[in-house]
């Protein structure tokens, strides 16, 4: 068991989400940054889709009620195990009673805590990913006790750590495909989409990211159609809305761009105020 | 009849197919026929297929290497589309209590349209609605078939909280809120039935192509259905129809 002593800004349990239920209107959900969650799990020897704890900007404080091994990937949240400063992307053994404190991000936006064998919280519709109306809770709160596998069966080397690609956290170019309604934009709007440095608005969350810079919009709404995480919609007021992992399954705004999988992962690691540009995927 | 379809890459792993941009039952039938014929192929490379009014999204297990090849394959599947096992179409009779306690906007609609409330209820519960697809919220049915006399614009500022089960009208559409949610539609009643049960293998009783009819019930009947649902003794009245 792991107990939440203090919550971060937004903590939830996530795996790779729910596939195959979108015909019932069920969002896919899942970790925002699959690259980092996969890294944390792989280093521990877990399958890449194993459930992890995702935290945002400021991480939680946790207490371990039995021994296990952990790995933290994604944003560097100045993790401390008791008094020991932890590196990201390295395995640490944890004893009963140890306290892990995750703080404010040094870089990145989302941190991933993987435990040996994975979290064992409530499964609904084939996934542990928390979502309002599907799981009992949609985010972690103080006092929550999270079941984990009782194992300390980690055979790897606890001292190695992996160098990660800094571009994943710093590069401001995001690769996109043209969306189904891209061709309906005029030349000027199309150019603006690719020439503007957009800054991330504070109204950004697991459902959608928004930007502070509007784009002039003369497009009519479309007949409600299908969307995916990574779909960029243009609202009547000219707001660009980048749908993220918790997005709805359908939408009625024109879909002007579609982020690549890698771009969704990277955008998930950008904090409010940081700038990004779009680049067409060849 | 073959429709003129547009095929395009949507993401690394998905292809979007679009029918003419109209809301039409013939189009819905063709979308579902194509979907079911693709599912019949039991292609392990296809992870899932989602549909809406006039679109179909095929999501593959992994990145599509050659999109043009895949689109050609899909085009030939479309020309030869047929289903071995026709899916069953079910008509569900959904109880709705239109009492003023639930129908928060009935008076406003009645005044604006100069139509007595019983007339609104009658016109809302007469048609057989078609489920075009499920979206917006888990278990939210997009229904076609609302009579033009009942079309009513969405509210200028949405309510922050619409009750679970609220039956509402938004523009030319009508629907039931499966869970508490913010929303801009005009609420005319409430249904006690559960539209989304995450614990069930089929979390929503209806699927695209099914039919819905609203049955007006009194508050007393409403309350007794609520009780039956709590005791797990209720099932929605339904019949299989030849569509």
């Amino acid at each position: 068991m792991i107990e939440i002593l203090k919550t971060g800004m937004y903590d939830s349990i996530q795996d790779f989400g729910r596939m195959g239920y979108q015909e019932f209107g069920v969002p896919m959900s899942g970790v925002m940054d699959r690259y980092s969650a996969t890294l944390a799990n792989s280093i521990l020897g877990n399958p890449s889709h194993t459930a992890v704890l995702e935290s945002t900007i400021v991480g939680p404080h946790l207490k371990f009620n039995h021994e296990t091994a952990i790995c933290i990937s994604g944003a560097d949240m100045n993790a401390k195990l008791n008094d020991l400063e932890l590196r990201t992307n390295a395995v640490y053994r944890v004893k009963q009673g140890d306290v892990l404190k995750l703080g404010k991000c040094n870089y990145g936006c989302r941190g991933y805590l993987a435990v040996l064998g994975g979290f064992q919280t409530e499964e609904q519709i084939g996934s542990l990913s928390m979502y309002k109306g599907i799981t009992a809770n949609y985010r972690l709160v103080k006092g929550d006790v999270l079941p984990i596998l009782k194992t300390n069966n980690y055979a790897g080397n606890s001292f190695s750590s992996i160098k990660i690609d800094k571009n994943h956290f710093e590069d401001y170019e995001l690769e996109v495909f043209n969306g189904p309604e891209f061709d309906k934009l005029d030349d000027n709007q199309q150019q603006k989409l690719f020439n503007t440095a957009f800054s991330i608005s504070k109204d950004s969350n697991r459902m959608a990211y928004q930007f502070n810079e509007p784009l002039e919009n003369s497009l009519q709404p479309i007949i409600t159609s299908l969307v995916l995480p990574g779909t960029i919609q243009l609202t009547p007021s000219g707001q660009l809305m980048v749908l993220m992992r918790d997005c709805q399954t359908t939408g009625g705004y024109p879909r002007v761009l579609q982020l690549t999988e890698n771009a969704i992962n990277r955008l998930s690691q950008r904090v409010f105020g940081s700038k990004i540009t779009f680049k067409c995927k060849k | 009849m073959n429709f003129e379809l547009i095929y395009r890459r949507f993401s690394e792993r998905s292809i979007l197919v679009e029918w003419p941009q109209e809301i039409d039952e013939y189009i819905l039938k063709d979308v579902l026929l194509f979907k079911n014929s693709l599912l019949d192929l039991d292609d392990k490379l296809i992870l899932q297929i989602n549909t809406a009014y006039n679109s179909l999204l095929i999501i593959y297990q992994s990145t599509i290497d050659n999109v043009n090849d895949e689109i050609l394959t899909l085009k030939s599947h479309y020309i030869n589309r047929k289903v071995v096992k026709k899916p069953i179409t079910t008509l569900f009779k959904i109880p709705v209590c239109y009492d003023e306690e639930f129908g928060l906007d009935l008076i406003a609609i009645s005044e604006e349209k100069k139509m007595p409330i019983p007339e609104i209820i009658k016109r809302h519960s007469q048609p057989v609605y078609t489920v075009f697809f499920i979206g917006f919220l888990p278990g939210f049915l997009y229904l076609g078939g609302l009579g033009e006399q009942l079309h009513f614009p969405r509210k200028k500022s949405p309510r922050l909280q619409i009750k679970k089960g609220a039956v509402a009208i938004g523009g030319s559409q009508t629907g039931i809120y499966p869970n508490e949610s913010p929303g801009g539609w005009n609420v005319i009643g409430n249904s006690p039935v559960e539209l989304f049960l995450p614990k069930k293998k089929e979390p929503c009783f209806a699927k695209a192509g099914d039919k819905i009819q609203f049955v007006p019930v009194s508050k007393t009947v409403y309350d007794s259905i609520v009780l039956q649902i709590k005791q797990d003794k209720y099932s929605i009245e339904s019949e299989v129809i030849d569509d």
Side-chain angles (χ1 to χ4, degrees):
Chain A
M1 301 280 209
I2 296 179
E3 188 187 338
I4 306 284
L5 301 177
K6 186 181 161 207
T7 51
M9 190 179 271
Y10 192 102
D11 318 303
S12 64
I13 299 296
Q14 300 289 338
D15 52 21
F16 275 9
R18 301 181 173 84
M19 291 303 285
Y21 294 91
Q22 281 62 57
E23 61 181 316
F24 300 111
V26 175
M28 290 181 181
S29 300
V31 287
M32 289 283 274
D33 176 7
R34 280 195 178 199
Y35 168 84
S36 298
T38 297
L39 203 58
N41 276 321
S42 306
I43 293 169
L44 268 181
N46 292 339
S48 55
H49 57 79
T50 305
V52 293
L53 193 160
E54 177 182 276
S55 38
T56 314
I57 301 174
V58 182
H61 293 182
L62 318 151
K63 190 177 159 196
F64 291 82
N65 291 345
H66 51 79
E67 63 179 328
T68 182
I70 60 167
C71 177
I72 298 165
S73 291
D76 180 356
M77 295 185 141
N78 291 303
K80 271 186 164 180
L81 187 63
N82 304 323
D83 287 320
L84 176 72
E85 285 183 20
L86 306 189
R87 289 168 297 159
T88 54
N89 306 306
V91 173
Y92 294 93
R93 288 174 183 282
V94 175
K95 294 188 304 293
Q96 185 178 1
D98 280 356
V99 171
L100 175 69
K101 290 181 180 172
L102 296 166
K104 210 169 167 295
C105 290
N106 263 336
Y107 61 79
C109 180
R110 288 186 168 84
Y112 292 94
L113 169 68
V115 298
L116 203 58
F119 288 89
Q120 309 288 319
T121 52
E122 167 199 22
E123 178 178 322
Q124 288 286 15
I125 323 182
S127 163
L128 274 63
S129 286
M130 293 183 156
Y131 187 86
K132 201 174 185 177
I134 292 179
T135 50
N137 296 313
Y138 65 97
R139 61 191 290 182
L140 297 173
V141 294
K142 188 180 165 180
D144 276 353
V145 177
L146 312 171
I148 58 168
L149 272 193
K150 265 195 179 168
T151 171
N152 58 357
N153 209 355
Y154 175 71
N157 177 351
S158 327
F159 296 103
S160 64
S161 91
I162 289 172
K163 268 258 175 282
I164 43 129
D165 180 6
K166 273 272 173 188
N167 282 333
H168 186 76
F169 298 95
E170 289 169 1
D171 193 3
Y172 53 82
E173 264 184 359
L174 297 177
E175 277 195 319
V176 293
F177 297 103
N178 290 349
E181 280 75 51
F182 178 82
D183 292 338
K184 291 187 177 156
L185 297 169
D186 64 34
D187 289 353
N188 183 33
Q189 287 171 308
Q190 291 185 358
Q191 278 172 19
K192 267 197 171 158
L193 261 182
F194 289 106
N195 295 339
T196 308
F198 292 101
S199 58
I200 295 168
S201 135
K202 61 176 177 19
D203 297 318
S204 299
N205 51 44
R206 286 187 44 89
M207 258 188 211
Y209 265 52
Q210 300 191 56
F211 301 118
N212 294 318
E213 299 74 14
L215 189 78
E216 232 173 86
N217 179 21
S218 49
L219 297 187
Q220 290 297 312
I222 58 168
I223 295 177
T224 301
S225 186
L226 299 157
V227 295
L228 284 177
T231 301
I232 305 184
Q233 298 177 315
L234 183 57
T235 70
S237 63
Q239 185 76 50
L240 285 169
M241 261 214 307
V242 190
L243 302 182
M244 297 302 272
R245 305 288 185 188
D246 275 350
C247 70
Q248 296 173 8
T249 55
T250 58
Y253 297 133
R255 302 155 292 182
V256 293
L257 295 172
Q258 174 70 38
L259 294 181
T260 62
E261 183 64 27
N262 186 36
I264 300 173
N265 294 337
R266 288 184 174 195
L267 183 59
S268 301
Q269 292 295 356
R270 300 297 177 275
V271 290
F272 316 144
S274 48
K275 297 213 163 178
I276 59 102
T277 59
F278 297 117
K279 179 187 159 198
C280 208
K281 167 122 176 140
K282 288 288 170 289
Chain B
M1 178 189 140
N2 289 334
F3 285 95
E4 191 86 25
L5 306 188
I6 300 168
Y7 297 77
R8 65 175 105 226
R9 179 196 272 276
F10 194 86
S11 70
E12 282 119 313
R13 299 198 302 162
S14 62
I15 291 173
L16 181 72
V17 186
E18 290 180 299
W19 276 253
Q21 297 296 302
E22 295 159 44
I23 296 178
D24 181 310
E25 276 208 44
Y26 285 105
I27 291 178
L28 172 72
K29 282 196 175 136
D30 200 47
V31 170
L32 295 177
L33 173 62
F34 192 18
K35 176 189 175 177
N36 289 321
S37 72
L38 287 172
L39 290 177
D40 272 351
L41 298 173
D42 202 20
D43 184 342
K44 293 285 179 281
L45 296 178
I46 295 178
L47 184 64
Q48 71 177 87
I49 303 173
N50 302 343
T51 64
Y53 285 117
N54 36 32
S55 42
L56 184 137
L57 185 68
I58 302 142
I59 304 176
Y60 295 83
Q61 289 283 2
S62 52
T63 303
I64 306 159
D65 287 331
N66 189 328
V67 173
N68 294 332
D69 280 359
E70 203 52 57
I71 287 175
L72 282 178
T73 310
L74 288 173
K75 281 180 174 172
S76 86
H77 286 321
Y78 179 69
I79 299 300
N80 300 312
R81 69 197 180 286
K82 59 174 188 298
V83 277
V84 185
K85 220 173 78 188
K86 194 174 177 284
I88 293 163
T89 304
T90 312
L91 168 68
F92 294 97
K93 299 194 172 169
I94 309 288
V96 178
C97 179
Y98 293 92
D99 283 8
E100 270 171 47
E101 167 187 355
F102 296 122
L104 306 176
D105 298 311
L106 271 175
I107 293 174
I109 298 173
S110 169
E111 282 173 359
E112 180 71 28
K113 291 193 172 288
K114 302 197 167 44
M115 190 190 284
I117 288 176
E119 180 74 14
I120 298 175
I121 297 169
K122 194 175 140 206
R123 285 181 188 271
H124 189 257
S125 53
Q126 249 168 5
V128 172
Y129 298 94
T130 300
V131 179
F132 275 83
F133 60 97
I134 305 172
F136 169 50
L137 292 169
F140 187 89
L141 312 175
Y142 277 79
L143 301 175
L146 182 70
E148 213 168 304
Q149 301 89 343
L150 289 188
H151 292 189
F152 201 76
R154 291 177 177 81
K155 290 182 135 2
K156 285 218 172 66
S157 45
R159 282 196 176 92
L160 289 177
Q161 223 178 60
I162 286 190
K163 243 181 123 166
K164 175 180 173 176
V167 175
I169 292 174
S172 61
Q173 305 188 81
T174 187
I176 314 164
Y177 283 83
N179 260 307
E180 193 183 280
S181 142
W185 290 20
N186 306 278
V187 179
I188 61 168
N190 193 288
S191 175
V193 305
E194 294 282 354
L195 282 123
F196 185 76
L197 293 164
K199 297 226 182 290
K200 281 199 147 170
K201 195 163 175 287
E202 302 265 295
C204 186
F205 59 81
K207 62 179 186 309
D210 279 340
K211 305 284 178 180
I212 297 286
Q213 212 169 5
F214 295 117
V215 181
V217 296
S218 66
K219 181 72 193 331
T220 320
V221 173
Y222 178 98
D223 286 338
S224 85
I225 295 173
V226 169
L227 193 68
Q228 287 173 51
I229 290 172
K230 263 190 197 145
Q231 298 167 340
D232 207 12
K233 283 179 186 160
Y234 179 79
S235 60
I236 300 167
E237 194 188 330
S238 67
E239 56 186 272
V240 173
I241 55 170
D242 191 20
D243 185 32

